[in-house]
Amino acid sequence: MTPTTSRADPSPTRPRPRLPAWTATLTWKAAVFITVMCCALAALLGALVHVSVANQTVGQARDRALGRLDEATAAYEAGARLGPLAGIDPPGLPDSLRRLAAGGERGTMVSSRAKAPTMWAAGPINGNRVLAVEIDYSQGARTIDGLDRAIVGSSVLAIGATLLVGAFAVTRVTRRLHATARVARRISGGDLDARVGDPRTRNPARHQDEVAAVAGALDSMATSLQRKLLSEQRFTADVAHELRTPLTGLHAAAELLPPGRPTELVRDRVAALRTLTEDLLEISRLDARSERVDLDDNWLGPLTERVVRGSGTETEVVVVRDVCVLTDRRRLERVLGNLVANAHRHGSPPVVLTVDGPVITVRDHGEGYPDYLVEGGPQRFRTEGGTKGHGLGLTIALGQAKVLGASLRFSNAEDGGALATLTLPYDDHQP
């Protein structure tokens, strides 16, 4: 038997750790930027001040030490007694300074002697011997340490004050941006009366910043969009209303025609045109938000069975859990009737209407809803595949659901078929 080798699957790539959502806000980014810039500026200024003061302090101490060394050298050459802080080859002299002086040069160095800062000055004398003096450098070291602490403390205070002022300024801008974003979401949700109303846009002579310009552009866009939509709604309502009178006469005239195939075709087209006109009038009322609900207690099980009987279709009704909801019966029947009719017109049997508490689903076993409908909702006068209808049934169902305060969602079942889910407002304390 030929041995087989197996290769271990590579370990899955670990996802990169993601920062919290609040780090993506403009306020946080501005705070980080201000903090980094303040720290960098404080470090630069602190380093410059520290170097300048340290050089000045060390220079003064070096001049004093060299002056003492000159005095000690003169006293040594005159045979006089050296002072208490001067000596020949003193034991505490740093080795590097001792070698420098033994080589014939003069130098200074700061070192720590008995845990105290000391400034040494050394120079050569006879042979390889070294004459050195020392002075107390504690005051200079304390001066530099105090300066460093003052720099750190003032930098912290400056950074804190700058952060507070910067956060206040950035927060004012972000608040205005958030308000503009909220208004934009309200407009996209259908509230065309929403406006930002930034006070900077009301006075044309006043200078406007970028946020005010965006707010003004959004308000202008909303106003223009509202005018266009209102014009279209009035046009639709006027056309539908004007068509009702001639259609009524046309329907009456069609009823007087003699029996026959041409008469049936005329009556069928007149009926379709009357239905389309009534649908357009209903949509215009929904767009104008002039509809008012007539609320009453209704058990969903009997109501859905009545809708199916009225549709005259082969629709299975499944009541998992029946509840009584406070709703407008006529509008709810209109929503469910349109969903059932759409399932039979564009889907395939079996069509199942399921009641599970306040949630009602209508499902068929056809090809499912098109992608545009699942993603963006129904569109007027748009149908797929050359099917019959004007694309108004689901639009009316969605509009009436909004009037009822319900949620209507369109999706496709995993094993195929279109699925419409209607969720009605429901209080658990209702009967």
Side-chain angles (χ1 to χ4, degrees):
M1 178 180 295
T2 303
T4 58
T5 59
S6 62
R7 180 177 297 175
D9 294 335
S11 57
T13 304
R14 294 183 179 180
R16 295 181 179 179
R18 302 185 64 180
L19 296 175
W22 56 267
T23 59
T25 60
L26 182 60
T27 302
W28 185 85
K29 293 179 180 178
V32 172
F33 175 78
I34 293 173
T35 303
V36 172
M37 294 303 298
C38 287
C39 290
L41 183 61
L44 178 61
L45 294 178
L48 293 176
V49 173
H50 172 84
V51 171
S52 177
V53 174
N55 289 339
Q56 183 179 1
T57 304
V58 172
Q60 292 176 353
R62 181 183 294 111
D63 293 341
R64 288 172 52 201
L66 291 175
R68 294 279 183 88
L69 180 62
D70 292 339
E71 295 174 358
T73 302
Y76 177 78
E77 292 176 350
R81 181 181 177 183
L82 299 177
L85 298 178
I88 299 174
D89 294 328
L93 184 65
D95 293 338
S96 58
L97 184 59
R98 185 187 301 276
R99 289 191 297 270
L100 179 68
E105 297 183 7
R106 302 175 65 184
T108 59
M109 179 178 289
V110 177
S111 67
S112 179
R113 184 177 183 183
K115 297 182 179 181
T118 301
M119 172 66 76
W120 290 92
I125 53 175
N126 296 334
N128 292 328
R129 305 185 71 185
V130 174
L131 175 63
V133 297
E134 61 177 304
I135 62 174
D136 186 12
Y137 189 65
S138 301
Q139 182 63 34
R142 285 195 296 269
T143 300
I144 296 177
D145 291 341
L147 176 65
D148 291 341
R149 288 193 295 270
I151 291 175
V152 173
S154 60
S155 299
V156 171
L157 291 177
I159 292 173
T162 306
L163 272 177
L164 290 177
V165 175
F168 174 75
V170 173
T171 302
R172 291 189 62 185
V173 175
T174 54
R175 270 203 307 265
R176 294 167 60 196
L177 288 175
H178 286 310
T180 304
R182 285 195 299 270
V183 172
R185 285 192 290 267
R186 288 173 56 189
I187 293 174
S188 61
D191 185 7
L192 298 182
D193 293 327
R195 297 291 185 274
V196 180
D198 195 307
R200 293 169 179 79
T201 61
R202 299 174 184 174
N203 186 6
R206 186 175 180 181
H207 294 291
Q208 298 183 9
D209 57 8
E210 289 77 2
V211 180
V214 172
L218 180 62
D219 288 346
S220 300
M221 180 198 69
T223 301
S224 176
L225 180 62
Q226 186 179 36
R227 289 173 180 171
K228 291 181 179 179
L229 289 179
L230 290 177
S231 177
E232 292 178 1
Q233 291 171 8
R234 284 194 296 268
F235 175 77
T236 302
D238 292 343
V239 169
H241 186 269
E242 292 298 327
L243 286 175
R244 295 184 73 180
T245 301
L247 279 176
T248 301
L250 187 60
H251 177 74
E255 294 296 328
L256 300 177
L257 294 176
R261 182 58 181 169
T263 301
E264 293 178 0
L265 292 176
V266 171
R267 290 176 180 175
D268 179 69
R269 294 299 88 195
V270 169
L273 191 55
R274 290 189 65 183
T275 301
L276 174 59
T277 303
E278 295 298 329
D279 288 345
L280 289 175
L281 285 173
E282 186 173 358
I283 287 178
S284 65
R285 290 193 298 268
L286 291 172
D287 289 340
R289 300 180 183 179
S290 59
E291 300 283 36
R292 296 293 181 268
V293 294
D294 184 12
L295 299 179
D296 196 5
D297 291 328
N298 294 272
W299 287 94
L300 295 182
L303 186 146
T304 54
E305 293 176 355
R306 185 166 55 250
V307 169
V308 170
R309 286 196 303 269
S311 67
T313 59
E314 295 291 335
T315 303
E316 179 183 359
V317 178
V318 178
V319 180
V320 178
R321 180 170 65 95
D322 195 7
V323 293
C324 182
V325 298
L326 184 65
T327 187
D328 189 322
R329 178 184 59 82
R330 181 181 63 84
R331 298 185 188 279
L332 180 56
E333 290 180 349
R334 175 69 161 155
V335 173
L336 296 178
N338 283 11
L339 294 179
V340 171
N342 183 82
H344 282 279
R345 181 179 298 115
H346 302 289
S348 299
V351 176
V352 182
L353 189 153
T354 304
V355 178
D356 188 0
V359 179
I360 304 174
T361 59
V362 177
R363 180 191 173 183
D364 61 55
H365 290 75
E367 297 180 357
Y369 291 121
D371 294 337
Y372 81 87
L373 194 150
V374 175
E375 295 174 0
Q379 299 180 13
R380 303 172 188 181
F381 297 105
R382 178 172 179 177
T383 56
E384 296 291 330
T387 55
K388 295 181 179 180
H390 304 283
L392 299 180
L394 295 183
T395 303
I396 293 175
L398 184 61
Q400 293 290 6
K402 290 181 179 179
V403 174
L404 294 175
S407 170
L408 180 56
R409 184 171 57 90
F410 302 98
S411 61
N412 291 321
E414 295 182 358
D415 53 348
L419 178 65
T421 304
L422 177 68
T423 305
L424 296 167
Y426 176 67
D427 186 358
D428 292 337
H429 299 290
Q430 289 181 224

